[in-house]
Amino acid sequence: MKTVIDAHTVSKTFNPNTIPVHAINNVHLHMEQGEFSALVGPSGSGKTTLLNLIGGLDKPDTGNIIIHGIDITKLSPNELIDFRLHNIGFVFQSFNLIPVLTAKENVELIMQLQNRKRADIEKRILSLFKQIGLEDKIDTRPSQLSGGQQQRVAVARALASKPQLVLADEPTANLDSKSAANLLDIMAKLNQEENITFIFSTHDVRVIERARRVITLVDGQIHSDTARVETEPQTTDLATAK
């Protein structure tokens, strides 16, 4: 399997000159292409901080984070922006859609920043909105969409650049059960069909139950790392069943 993430001795401390908070403490993490994983743990355990470090939204104080063979801790700010643009998709709890843009415009903005050809953008847009089941909402602004629909648009935006790694920070926190299930179905399908690696930071049992690997953080350290073995569903032989 292809390695997506190799993190070594990663630490991050906030407020080092006053009351230091050791958000991440000497973490090692290895992840391969196509994983569907959840970072879990109590509030303040370091889930979001670790996700932000992996995504290059913050830099560790010590250690190295290698994504797709590139040590992102050694990139300049401009190099890091360019790396994120082409390699990592982000899904946030608060959706973070631009309110004055339509759903389509929110999604295509990433591809415009990549200087993609107009024909390629249009083709990708149609494919993405079909995948998330919102072809009829393509020209609708975020305020006219439900929370579940906005989060699906956010997923489409995360996938617009064709990243092989998607980081999702509490993506179901503001969704009802049906919307959360629909969103997880979409992401699980993309994971299986396109081999996209998903990492969730979550408290949501609905996400945890779907994850094939659960990494538990406590006080900034990995407390447990459990991979779930998928088994074939059992079938009943109706001819012999009593």
Side-chain angles (χ1 to χ4, degrees):
M1 293 290 290
K2 180 181 178 182
T3 297
V4 176
I5 299 168
D6 250 330
H8 305 279
T9 60
V10 173
S11 295
K12 180 67 179 181
T13 300
F14 295 104
N15 307 321
N17 298 321
T18 53
I19 303 175
V21 177
H22 303 291
I24 295 295
N25 187 8
N26 198 37
V27 162
H28 300 260
L29 181 65
H30 177 89
M31 197 163 288
E32 295 179 343
Q33 187 73 44
E35 293 201 38
F36 200 71
S37 303
L39 300 175
V40 305
S43 295
S45 60
K47 301 185 302 296
T48 296
T49 299
L50 182 55
L51 205 70
N52 288 342
L53 293 172
I54 292 170
L57 298 176
D58 202 352
K59 281 203 170 188
D61 298 322
T62 62
N64 301 89
I65 301 173
I66 300 168
I67 310 290
H68 295 304
I70 303 295
D71 188 343
I72 65 171
T73 63
K74 295 182 178 179
L75 298 179
S76 70
N78 286 337
E79 288 172 334
L80 195 52
I81 290 170
D82 188 66
F83 182 85
R84 288 197 304 263
L85 178 63
H86 291 90
N87 294 279
I88 304 174
F90 296 91
V91 182
F92 302 99
Q93 176 181 344
S94 57
F95 316 143
N96 286 1
L97 299 178
I98 301 173
V100 297
L101 301 181
T102 65
K104 175 185 177 181
E105 290 167 341
N106 267 279
V107 175
E108 70 181 5
L109 181 60
I110 297 294
M111 292 180 282
Q112 290 173 342
L113 292 172
Q114 290 179 316
N115 294 316
R116 299 266 290 275
K117 294 180 180 178
R118 189 69 224 175
D120 292 340
I121 292 176
E122 292 294 335
K123 183 178 179 180
R124 182 67 174 157
I125 287 286
L126 292 175
S127 173
L128 287 168
F129 275 85
K130 183 177 181 180
Q131 286 177 298
I132 65 171
L134 289 178
E135 302 100 309
D136 60 334
K137 302 292 185 181
I138 198 167
D139 293 316
T140 304
R141 285 194 167 87
S143 62
Q144 298 171 302
L145 298 173
S146 69
Q149 290 171 335
Q150 289 186 61
Q151 194 62 299
R152 279 190 272 168
V153 172
V155 169
R157 179 184 59 190
L159 297 169
S161 63
K162 295 187 177 181
Q164 287 302 298
L165 174 61
V166 173
L167 307 178
D169 189 12
E170 298 282 5
T172 58
N174 294 323
L175 304 182
D176 58 54
S177 295
K178 183 178 179 180
S179 296
N182 288 339
L183 184 73
L184 289 169
D185 285 343
I186 290 168
M187 291 191 282
K189 184 178 180 182
L190 289 162
N191 168 255
Q192 293 164 6
E193 294 183 354
E194 300 187 21
N195 205 32
I196 298 171
T197 304
F198 282 86
I199 308 176
F200 301 89
S201 167
T202 186
H203 289 96
D204 193 337
V205 67
R206 298 169 296 190
V207 179
I208 297 168
E209 288 175 345
R210 298 286 287 271
R212 296 195 299 275
R213 180 180 176 186
V214 178
I215 301 163
T216 304
L217 293 173
V218 177
D219 296 331
Q221 295 182 312
I222 294 179
H223 179 72
S224 65
D225 187 345
T226 305
R228 293 174 177 165
V229 178
E230 294 186 279
T231 58
E232 292 294 328
Q234 294 183 347
T235 58
T236 302
D237 187 343
L238 298 178
T240 57
K242 295 182 179 180

